[in-house]
């Protein structure tokens, strides 16, 4: 039995995907990858390696 798939969302141009400077939803205090993982997942750094 073939089921109809959900309609695909309309394509978004790159100009519409870039937030404006005065966008009230733009959160300038957004966390980077490391801080986000620590906050959301409770991660702990066991050992750090530096790439040379």
């Amino acid at each position: 039995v073939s089921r109809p798939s959900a309609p695909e969302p309309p394509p978004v141009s790159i100009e519409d995907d870039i937030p404006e400077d005065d966008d009230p939803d733009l959160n300038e205090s957004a966390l980077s990858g490391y801080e986000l993982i620590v906050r959301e997942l409770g991660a702990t750094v066991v050992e750090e390696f530096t790439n040379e």
Side-chain angles (χ1 to χ4, degrees), residues 21-38:
D21 291 335
D22 62 349
D23 188 345
D25 294 328
L26 185 60
N27 183 357
E28 291 293 331
S29 66
L31 299 176
S32 70
Y34 173 79
E35 290 94 2
L36 182 65
I37 292 172
V38 169

Side-chain angles (χ1 to χ4, degrees), residues 1-41:
V1 173
S2 176
R3 295 183 182 180
S5 62
E8 291 192 26
V12 177
S13 69
I14 190 67
E15 293 83 15
D16 292 336
D17 198 33
I18 299 172
E20 296 294 327
D21 291 335
D22 62 349
D23 188 345
D25 294 328
L26 185 60
N27 183 357
E28 291 293 331
S29 66
L31 299 176
S32 70
Y34 173 79
E35 290 94 2
L36 182 65
I37 292 172
V38 169
R39 186 189 78 189
E40 295 297 319
L41 301 176

